[in-house]
Amino acid sequence: MKALKMMLAAFAFVGATAQAATNQEIINHVSYNVILATYNDLAGATAKLKSAVDTLAANPNQANLDQAQAAWRAARIPWESSEAFLFGPVDSLGIDPLLDTWPLNKLDLDAVLASNRTITTDFVRALGTNLQGFHTIEYLLFGEGKTSNTKAVSAFTAKQFEYLKATSALLAEHTAYLAHSWSTNYDPENPSAPGYVTVISKPGFDNPFYSSDRAVMEEFIQGMMGIVDEVANGKMSDPMGADIGSANMALVESPFAWNSLNDFTNNVRSVYSIYTGHYRSSKGPGVKALVEKVNPALAAQVEQDILNCMQLIQAIRPANGGDFGQAIFTQDGRARTQAAIDALNALHTKLESEVLPTLDM
Amino acid sequence: MKAWIAILSLKLIMVEVALAAPQINMDYVRAIKTGGDTTVFFKGESVQAFRNPAANLSEDDIRRHLSGDALFERNFSDDTNRFEYGLGPVFNNTSCNACHSKDGRGALPVIPFNQEWVQLKQNEAVFLRISIEDGIQRPKNAQNKWGAPVPVPGFSDQLFHLGSMGVREDIPGSGQAQVWMKYEKSTFTYPDGEVVNLRKPLFKVTGAYDEYFDSVTGQTRSRLYENDVKMGARIGTPMIGLGLLEAIKESDILALAARDLSDEGVSGKPNYVIDIEKVLANNPYPVSMGRFGLKNNTPSVMHQSLGALRGDIGVTNYAFPDESIVGTILYDIFKNGRTLPMGVEAPREVADDIVFYSQTLAVPSRRNVDEAEVVRGAELFHQVSCTSCHQPSYVTGPHQIAAFSNQKIYPYTDMLLHDMGDGLADGRQDFDATGREWKTRPLWGIGQTQTINPRAGFLHDGRARTIEEAILWHGGEGEYSKNKFTRLPKADRTALIHFIKSL
């Protein structure tokens, strides 16, 4: 009986997707319930991070440090889960570098912290992008990251708290601006411009950026391909180097909190979200619905490949502690990294040579 | 004596090529393979349109291209402990990619509607060229640096608005000065009554490092604020097809310069500029024809790229081994008490891979070539004489990268300088280019510009938000064509723009 119910449910599900969402339905769902929802989550999470940092600075104890560190990790999730759609305002308004430039410029940060300057949000705003954003906060909250990712509360200086508060306030400001640009006004030079979600979800002749629904669908697929390539051939390959001797910890993203593998996994999770239309509890048609119309076997295989890549990335984690930055200095860690890179590159090839062409079938 | 021979032989070449007066080959109307065999094909619209290696490169070449690709995106740092060391001490940006967004055009900074001025910060795609301008055209000799712009004393010929920590103790993060921008708005009215809003960026400079208060005049002064200093904005330009432009035969360009287009008020001319390769080879007359830069002020992709690597980012290299502000007081102040690393910052292979990458980015194919509207627009393009300067096609000559040799290409540029009128003038001479002259921009790929960067702006300072605005800014030698364009019925103007967007 139970089995029958499940079978029926499975049929109903297949039926629903095979009913075939149109491009426009996919675009609508992905724009509102994946992309806009992610940016709203990001703005909320960075606001929480800011208040956790303020609490820590006002009352430096272990519990408050734990909470601030947890808030940083929580804010990383929506951001890294947005990297399959680095188009639109995050790019055109220059927001990405303000949030996520890495590596951090530790030399200059240490110089500022050692100086007598008063640290304000406007002071930090005027500095380079590699002196603000997620990784500056990460370094200040978690410490050096080489042999551990913990920092004692006693190690914080008053100056570090000032800097943390200023840069966390800026991070929350920039992400609120990003969410606003998607929900309400994408062009700050033009008060009557709508939110970008309205623009991207209504492609057509009068649309300034997308002349057809095909163009938006291609943007989605190219976005997926872009981050798959970036994780494999930038974020993982660059620090790994050709051999152990040329591995470079300074090129690892999120090395202080040991959050790299979670970052990479969430990057691929954003590919999953665009592909399936699943984000948090929201389920709707994604790019997969388009592929299904042409080749159901391919559609299912790509979903499986994406999940497999996420698993292979998590499998890089060293058994005896540490994260990606430690794994690339061991032979077996490098082998596991290479396996993930190979799987990502294979996924990229499949997206490019099999998924992209379904747009024109 | 040598210079005399050079002039004589140049004249002989000009006579020879004048005989083979180039015709406009109308095959451009339906030509799809814009970059010949180097062309890459896309079905739709994509942010990746400019990010691909030329289609006919060898496997070894692709590997080099990819290595250059990673460097092009690299954020350089002033931290000597870091792998990508070399940034600064003063600079305009921290990576190549930051000005050439996804290898395409840059955008002007965002000015929120309730704000007048905005300060140029990090990650803007625009910077100012500066020089002393007295209106005198100097002879081309070593003493006059072969006609190079005269740098502003205490500065150089480029204003670096960003600086490494420690360069400006008074304004951390700033370089030689702070730069601000606002818009001057205007309108253009077509003969049929349609109105188009135009905008032009205006710049002001504050906080110069040599600034002082003059109690006699009651003014804040700096060498930079004197009247003989001219400034001109430059925005990051597309990186596609540069190797192909390098492979266009010099004789073909000179033939275009030799045409008599006086009926249209057009008279394109080449620029002759310092050639760093000839300098490195100790050539006593290190001058070549310019092909790159908005005033054709560099002769090769190598010179242009490595000049930008040292200038825009402050990364010294074998072609430009000195920091950009060597010899100025700001550098002496910065040096004081610091141990600076010796030698150039970018290793030879890094520099060469960046050059190679810059040469080998592919031009995307034309789109919608069979649409009636596009075909009609293509013919109108010629009818209103856009083709006089935007020369549609060439067959390239030999190039050290075999893939670029003997290709039929459609770049839509004559590679020459033209007086573009007061509206676009920056008032700065640059070798043989006057303050009103600019190189004809290649139009290939232009239709994908705003797919890649929705805010990207056209023309040398990014002022034009649309292709239409860019056309309407054409003055001087462009006036004739612009007037013909503006007198077209609206439907024809639209068709012509459709054609340009198909490129």
Side-chain angles (χ1 to χ4, degrees), chain A residues 91-92 97 103-105 107-108 112 117 128-129 131 188-189 191 209 211 214-215 218-219 222 238 248 251 360, chain B residues 43-48 74 78-79 82-84 102 109-113 122-123 165 169 172 199 454-455:
Chain A
D91 181 43
S92 64
L104 161 73
N105 188 344
L107 186 80
D108 284 354
V112 174
R117 296 179 189 289
T129 51
L131 284 170
E189 296 184 328
F209 311 122
S211 59
R214 190 205 175 287
E218 177 162 351
E219 185 85 293
Q222 294 278 4
D238 282 356
N248 188 344
L251 294 178
D360 299 304
Chain B
K43 277 240 166 79
E45 296 155 79
S46 165
V47 292
Q48 308 295 331
R74 184 85 82 212
D78 59 355
D79 183 340
R82 258 174 56 185
F83 168 69
E84 59 288 79
K102 298 188 182 75
V110 174
I111 305 188
F113 66 90
Q122 200 176 313
N123 235 46
M165 200 65 65
E169 290 296 339
R199 61 172 204 188
R455 292 191 63 256

Side-chain angles (χ1 to χ4, degrees), chain B residues 467-494:
Chain B
I467 288 165
E468 180 182 32
E469 287 183 33
I471 295 171
L472 296 176
W473 277 107
H474 279 55
E477 295 176 41
E479 192 89 38
Y480 174 84
S481 275
K482 181 188 82 178
N483 288 342
K484 277 174 96 170
F485 170 78
T486 61
R487 286 193 289 263
L488 292 176
K490 168 86 177 169
D492 287 359
R493 301 200 299 262
T494 306

Side-chain angles (χ1 to χ4, degrees), chain B residues 435-499:
Chain B
R436 296 159 58 96
E437 286 176 332
W438 302 96
K439 173 195 166 181
T440 309
R441 295 303 308 159
L443 300 182
W444 52 14
I446 195 169
Q448 312 239 33
T449 303
Q450 290 177 334
T451 306
I452 294 166
N453 178 0
R455 292 191 63 256
F458 303 101
L459 300 170
H460 67 275
D461 56 9
R463 67 179 70 181
R465 288 160 291 195
T466 60
I467 288 165
E468 180 182 32
E469 287 183 33
I471 295 171
L472 296 176
W473 277 107
H474 279 55
E477 295 176 41
E479 192 89 38
Y480 174 84
S481 275
K482 181 188 82 178
N483 288 342
K484 277 174 96 170
F485 170 78
T486 61
R487 286 193 289 263
L488 292 176
K490 168 86 177 169
D492 287 359
R493 301 200 299 262
T494 306
L496 196 152
I497 290 170
H498 258 94
F499 161 67

